[in-house]
DNA sequence: TATTGTTATACTCTATAACTATA
DNA sequence: TATAGTTATAGAGTATAACAATA
């Protein structure tokens, strides 16, 4: 049962390994110097475009002030656009620009390569199972406190 | 195949969720104000005591300068001891003090609770499978570049 | 009055490189 | 000359709260 707590260490270690493998290759793709979290933001926007900042905050599990500033940075770099929603004037909808899409694809290419290597010890079936288990954990968001 | 890159997002999201659930409960256990990484350091030391700093660096996937400073902080707080190895004078062996062990158990208790809740959507069998897949990924460290 | 997003600030974490001591 | 660990420093990421605009 103490094993439960070590799962947290393992998940952290896995994330760290991906990060460590990705970092030295940043020159290959991070032409706009968006950094690791900027890159993840682009990935997240690319997945659910157009997306509002609140949804991004929830999906990325980060603070809204942080996302807000990051969004401004990416906007200033011309990688995303921010447009006020017609339905609700408080909401801004984010979209990738052409440059943003291009940057996203560069990130995805290298990230895919890195994740491929990190996941290599698993067979295809195991990789699929791992991904499905992750989904199952993440999609049930019905927790007490949000 | 683009799915590969989204695995990285999911792993990050999972780690973030654990962190987010843990954070508001820090008052329950973080009496020595060691912070999240200090806590992970204690967990890692507790798993492989006595451990040297190099091994910690490798296991935690963090920078040695960071670990070095963190170790000093924990030592100053009386949670761990640092002892020069007899075999190799360059190596310091780390051990938990009694206070450190106590702190560790508080962290484990809360972390176990948090991880238990996060993993709840999975059945016992699925949780075991997930943990084993994590192990399988992490224990094959035979990669090209280290 | 609640919600979306912004700003300000202080703090922690991270990366790099130059360094000391031991091997 | 190589390795274990330290120090210094600059930069990136984070949490909190107070704020403005819209609902």
């Amino acid at each position: 049962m103490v094993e439960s707590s070590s799962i947290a260490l393992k998940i952290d270690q896995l994330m760290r390994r991906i990060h460590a493998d990705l970092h030295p290759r940043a020159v290959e793709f991070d032409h706009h110097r968006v950094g690791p979290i900027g890159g993840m933001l682009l990935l997240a926007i690319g997945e659910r475009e157009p997306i509002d900042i609140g949804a991004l905050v929830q999906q990325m599990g980060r603070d809204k002030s942080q996302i807000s500033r990051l969004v401004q940075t990416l906007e200033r770099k011309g990688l995303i656009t921010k447009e006020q929603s017609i339905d609700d004037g408080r909401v801004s909808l984010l979209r990738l620009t052409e440059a943003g899409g291009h940057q996203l694809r560069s990130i995805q290419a290298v990230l895919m390569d890195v994740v491929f290597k990190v996941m290599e010890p698993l067979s295809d079936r195991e990789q699929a199972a791992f991904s499905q288990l992750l989904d199952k954990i993440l999609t049930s968001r019905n927790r007490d406190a949000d």
Side-chain angles (χ1 to χ4, degrees), chain A residues 15-140:
Chain A
M15 192 62 229
R16 284 257 119 209
R17 182 173 303 176
I18 294 172
H19 184 79
D21 289 357
L22 206 51
H23 185 257
R25 298 185 58 181
V27 281
E28 290 179 36
F29 61 85
D30 196 6
H31 310 298
H32 297 275
R33 298 192 34 77
V34 298
I37 307 204
M40 288 198 287
L41 204 64
L42 288 177
L43 287 165
I45 294 172
E47 271 187 3
R48 297 174 56 185
E49 195 181 13
I51 186 172
D52 61 282
I53 291 182
L56 266 184
V57 165
Q58 198 177 34
Q59 183 176 338
M60 299 191 59
R62 286 181 163 80
D63 193 82
K64 62 179 177 171
S65 70
Q66 186 186 4
I67 301 295
S68 172
R69 265 173 303 114
L70 208 40
V71 160
Q72 288 170 67
T73 306
L74 294 187
E75 195 190 9
R76 237 180 282 121
K77 287 175 193 274
L79 300 174
I80 61 176
T81 58
K82 200 160 61 167
E83 174 204 354
Q84 204 173 30
S85 165
I86 307 169
D87 303 337
D88 186 336
R90 297 169 301 182
V91 172
S92 349
L93 295 173
L94 307 177
R95 270 173 245 267
L96 297 171
T97 62
E98 202 175 324
H102 193 260
Q103 172 66 86
L104 171 60
R105 282 185 293 279
S106 312
I107 293 174
Q108 280 175 331
V110 178
L111 185 54
M112 229 165 70
D113 190 42
V114 165
V115 170
F116 180 81
K117 278 185 188 129
V118 168
M119 292 293 164
E120 221 166 21
L122 300 188
S123 70
D124 286 356
R125 264 192 72 214
E126 287 172 327
Q127 287 188 27
F130 186 70
S131 179
Q132 278 166 26
L133 289 171
L134 272 176
D135 281 333
K136 194 162 179 182
I137 296 167
L138 292 172
T139 51
S140 39

